[in-house]
Amino acid sequence: MSQQQAVLAVSTVIFALRSDPTTGISTVWIPVVRRIREPHEGRWALPGGPLRVDDDLEEAARSHLLETTGLTPKYLEQLYAFGKVGRSPGPRVVSIVYWALVESDEAARATVGENVTWLSTDELPELAFDHNLIVDYALWRLRTKMEYSRIAHAFLGDTFTLAQLREVHEAVRQKPLDPANFRRTIESSKTVVPTGEFVTGARHRPARLYRYDGSIDLADSGPLQ
Amino acid sequence: MSQQQAVLAVSTVIFALRSDPTTGISTVWIPVVRRIREPHEGRWALPGGPLRVDDDLEEAARSHLLETTGLTPKYLEQLYAFGKVGRSPGPRVVSIVYWALVESDEAARATVGENVTWLSTDELPELAFDHNLIVDYALWRLRTKMEYSRIAHAFLGDTFTLAQLREVHEAVRQKPLDPANFRRTIESSKTVVPTGEFVTGARHRPARLYRYDGSIDLADSGPLQ
DNA sequence: ACAAAAGTGTTTTGTTTACACCCATGA
DNA sequence: TCATGGGTGTAAACAAAACACTTTTGT
């Protein structure tokens, strides 16, 4: 049953925003892959796999993510190491889990097939292993971190309107925000700069386009980077 | 050089408050152990060691900590998994690092000897491996978390005065706090309850003793516990 | 002209900070 | 009675929330 060493794996919870096909409201979705062998054959699981001995942890997350889903994250951060004895049948597995944010329109173009699909975090089925707990924890981190850092930009393209940025916050925090107060909060944070361009075509006043100020880091990780 | 699997280790950054022998001011200290073999023989390192295959991660941190320093932490939380290729000479090592808080007077009683000592985080020497980076990151987490959670209690005994609790905050945040405003902040947080007892003996008005309200968790970890 | 969202102004409310001052004790 | 820290009161400064109102477009 037990062997000399635990197996090390790296997995990633990837978040993207998608419009609900019925209501049209943006909500948080994750890509999952189907398990093609036991244990939990047939169930959906987080993308990931064993750590190759010459790969850095973050690099392993990034490359495995690209191979299975074709996605390149705009934000990637270590979440937690899950290592409880018995969390996986068979040999002991310790999973170092990352969480990532990808641009909405890149997510729309991402690989989907028989063995890869997107699931809404509002109504997740039972996933393989302890992956429901992992997603719950990643969602909690996303929501708390959204309140005090600027990671929302990672869901958007290079330029965006304040309405789009507000939509991201509303999707993640699951409540409407006052447009006037939101505007002032963002403007006083000095993290965005107006490009001078406007979005025309909608049947209302054109919205100013902004660009994220790259001289400020998305999230303060202290001494790590 | 490279082998099939990475080695998994668990280490812990243990924080306690100690009075500076010269100034008398409380500052943050950590216990370290001397490396008795290569690599980095003779250098100070964080307590830790390889993960036994049947131990849970947190349990491994706790038991290794007890064996080497004799300490039982009042607070223990996972910090980060450090796994950069080349962070240790020889086989690939991935370290899952925890951070812990221990009561000040328990720390004073802790094992000290030829191979275990306490170091002030204000003036750390060069430690083994990447342990300086790890301690810096743990300190950053301690300081940021002190601002929005109630972990300060873990440095104190069951009952304490507000002056003692304030001293903990001042030691960690490295700046003086207004006693009047500190009192109100703590009282409005509803995390402490007065015991009804007072500390007499000092040459000033007796200070009220408080107890931490156990029904509120020290730190909100979301879906994990 | 009208709807609809962009964007501005203003008032209210609450929280943080600064600091003056009274209280209870030991020496 | 004096020094010392415990403990209370209060006003100013600042930040968050609520909401009325003006602007600019497409139809």
Side-chain angles (χ1 to χ4, degrees):
Chain A
M1 182 86 235
S2 78
Q3 51 174 62
Q4 276 316 92
Q5 257 284 146
V7 175
L8 247 184
V10 174
S11 298
T12 309
V13 183
I14 304 147
F15 292 119
L17 299 187
R18 307 199 129 200
S19 300
D20 186 297
T22 50
T23 66
I25 299 170
S26 278
T27 53
V28 180
W29 293 66
I30 60 170
V32 287
V33 298
R34 197 187 295 280
R35 284 198 55 82
I36 54 172
R37 68 186 65 160
E38 289 296 343
H40 297 299
E41 183 175 346
R43 284 241 183 105
W44 296 114
L46 296 172
L51 177 72
R52 283 163 298 220
V53 82
D54 296 318
D55 282 359
D56 276 333
L57 297 173
E58 187 174 315
E59 184 195 321
R62 223 178 265 280
S63 65
H64 200 102
L65 192 157
L66 183 66
E67 286 162 23
T68 54
T69 63
L71 292 166
T72 305
K74 292 192 73 173
Y75 182 76
L76 181 65
E77 184 192 308
Q78 194 180 296
L79 178 68
Y80 200 78
F82 293 84
K84 207 174 180 54
V85 173
R87 61 183 283 273
S88 168
R92 171 84 182 275
V93 179
V94 173
S95 288
I96 296 176
V97 180
Y98 280 75
W99 62 290
L101 306 182
V102 298
E103 239 175 89
S104 302
D105 48 349
E106 187 184 346
R109 289 193 305 269
T111 314
V112 182
E114 174 69 17
N115 294 321
V116 180
T117 193
W118 288 82
L119 297 176
S120 165
T121 56
D122 291 338
E123 33 189 280
L124 281 182
E126 199 176 335
L127 304 176
F129 310 108
D130 52 0
H131 290 190
N132 286 91
L133 173 67
I134 294 177
V135 174
D136 284 348
Y137 183 53
L139 268 171
W140 179 81
R141 276 273 277 273
L142 169 63
R143 292 195 171 117
T144 52
K145 198 144 195 168
M146 183 77 82
E147 309 233 357
Y148 65 87
S149 72
R150 301 296 151 206
I151 53 173
H153 299 280
F155 282 118
L156 298 170
D158 288 341
T159 61
F160 47 86
T161 64
L162 289 186
Q164 289 175 312
L165 186 58
R166 179 164 48 86
E167 196 185 336
V168 172
H169 275 87
E170 289 177 337
V172 171
R173 293 161 64 173
Q174 295 182 302
K175 66 170 181 186
L177 299 170
D178 184 306
N181 294 333
F182 182 79
R183 163 180 301 275
R184 270 182 292 253
T185 307
I186 297 297
E187 276 172 349
S188 68
S189 78
K190 310 277 190 203
T191 54
V192 299
V193 284
T195 63
E197 291 184 89
F198 293 81
V199 177
T200 55
R203 68 188 196 292
H204 55 76
R205 179 172 171 177
R208 195 170 233 111
L209 272 174
Y210 291 83
R211 182 189 310 281
Y212 168 68
D213 179 357
S215 68
I216 300 153
D217 215 343
L218 280 181
D220 180 12
S221 324
L224 303 182
Q225 284 288 340
Chain B
M1 180 85 236
S2 76
Q3 51 176 62
Q4 277 314 94
Q5 256 284 143
V7 175
L8 245 185
V10 174
S11 299
T12 310
V13 183
I14 303 148
F15 292 119
L17 299 188
R18 305 199 131 200
S19 300
D20 186 297
T22 50
T23 66
I25 299 170
S26 279
T27 53
V28 180
W29 293 66
I30 59 170
V32 287
V33 298
R34 197 187 295 280
R35 285 199 52 83
I36 54 171
R37 68 186 66 161
E38 289 295 343
H40 297 298
E41 182 175 346
R43 283 241 183 103
W44 296 113
L46 295 172
L51 177 72
R52 282 163 297 219
V53 81
D54 296 318
D55 282 357
D56 276 333
L57 298 173
E58 187 175 315
E59 186 195 321
R62 220 177 268 279
S63 65
H64 201 100
L65 193 156
L66 183 65
E67 286 162 24
T68 55
T69 64
L71 291 166
T72 305
K74 292 190 73 173
Y75 182 75
L76 182 65
E77 183 191 309
Q78 193 181 298
L79 178 68
Y80 200 78
F82 293 84
K84 207 173 179 57
V85 173
R87 61 183 284 272
S88 168
R92 171 84 183 276
V93 179
V94 173
S95 289
I96 296 176
V97 180
Y98 280 75
W99 63 291
L101 307 182
V102 297
E103 239 174 90
S104 302
D105 48 348
E106 186 184 347
R109 289 193 305 269
T111 314
V112 182
E114 175 69 15
N115 294 320
V116 180
T117 192
W118 288 83
L119 297 176
S120 165
T121 57
D122 291 338
E123 32 189 279
L124 281 182
E126 199 175 336
L127 305 176
F129 309 108
D130 52 359
H131 289 191
N132 286 91
L133 173 67
I134 294 177
V135 174
D136 283 349
Y137 183 52
L139 267 171
W140 179 80
R141 275 273 277 273
L142 169 63
R143 291 196 171 116
T144 51
K145 198 143 195 170
M146 183 78 81
E147 310 233 355
Y148 65 86
S149 72
R150 301 297 152 205
I151 54 173
H153 299 281
F155 282 118
L156 298 170
D158 288 341
T159 61
F160 48 85
T161 66
L162 287 186
Q164 290 176 311
L165 185 59
R166 179 164 50 85
E167 196 186 337
V168 172
H169 276 87
E170 289 177 337
V172 172
R173 293 160 67 172
Q174 296 181 303
K175 67 170 181 185
L177 299 171
D178 184 307
N181 295 332
F182 181 79
R183 164 180 300 275
R184 270 182 293 254
T185 308
I186 298 297
E187 275 172 350
S188 69
S189 78
K190 309 278 188 200
T191 54
V192 299
V193 285
T195 64
E197 290 184 89
F198 292 82
V199 177
T200 55
R203 68 188 196 293
H204 56 76
R205 181 173 170 177
R208 196 171 231 109
L209 273 174
Y210 291 83
R211 181 190 311 282
Y212 169 67
D213 180 356
S215 67
I216 300 153
D217 216 342
L218 280 181
D220 181 12
S221 324
L224 304 183
Q225 284 287 341

